[in-house]
Amino acid sequence: MERQKKNIAGVVRDLVQPVADEMGYILWDVEYVKEGAEMVLRITIDKDGEGIGIDDCERLHRAIDPLLDEADPIENSYRLEVSSPGVERTLSRPEHFQKCLGEQVEVRLYAPINGQKKIVGTLAGADGGTITIEAGGETITLDERQWAKVTTVFAW
């Protein structure tokens, strides 16, 4: 089932990408996930400079809803959500890491390194499945198999 969900997200990404590009949005992520008793197709968008507002989300939602109905990539019922990635966003694709170089990130690890399962530092590099974090005067390079989740950190 997990593999099928990823395939649906990929198919939807391919359908939505040209529309998002044409409207001036960055297609940040596409997820097809189970939340409670229902399935949710979550499209996350961004925009350089000014960020995303509710009007942007509604605009893209209206543009892609008929496209998704026509293509019908999902057999079961689902809820379509279009949202902003927020200030503390998950980094999962190579372009996410490139866009966020120099920013503060929190890396949650599968297994501890030096007794820690979490590293907070500056994203100093990202290349072919590895990231480099500068934290506490150290430079740490991690392979993608070592981290469970990487998110940006916003200093409130």
Side-chain angles (χ1 to χ4, degrees), residues 31-98:
E31 298 174 290
Y32 183 60
V33 294
K34 185 172 179 76
E35 290 186 354
E38 67 182 347
M39 295 303 292
V40 177
L41 177 61
R42 184 171 297 117
I43 312 288
T44 309
I45 57 173
D46 200 5
K47 186 167 39 174
D48 282 332
E50 56 205 81
I52 291 295
I54 189 76
D55 292 339
D56 295 303
C57 295
E58 288 177 14
R59 204 170 139 228
L60 184 68
H61 191 291
R62 282 193 300 273
I64 65 173
D65 199 28
L67 178 70
L68 292 171
D69 284 348
E70 184 181 321
D72 199 21
I74 303 171
E75 292 177 13
N76 304 320
S77 64
Y78 63 94
R79 184 178 75 235
L80 174 62
E81 290 181 2
V82 178
S83 66
S84 158
V87 293
E88 294 189 329
R89 55 190 61 191
T90 299
L91 309 181
S92 58
R93 302 176 59 81
E95 59 268 24
H96 296 167
F97 290 97
Q98 290 302 314

Side-chain angles (χ1 to χ4, degrees), residues 111-123:
I113 295 177
N114 299 329
Q116 302 292 319
K117 283 197 74 172
K118 177 174 80 170
I119 300 169
V120 177
T122 302
L123 180 61

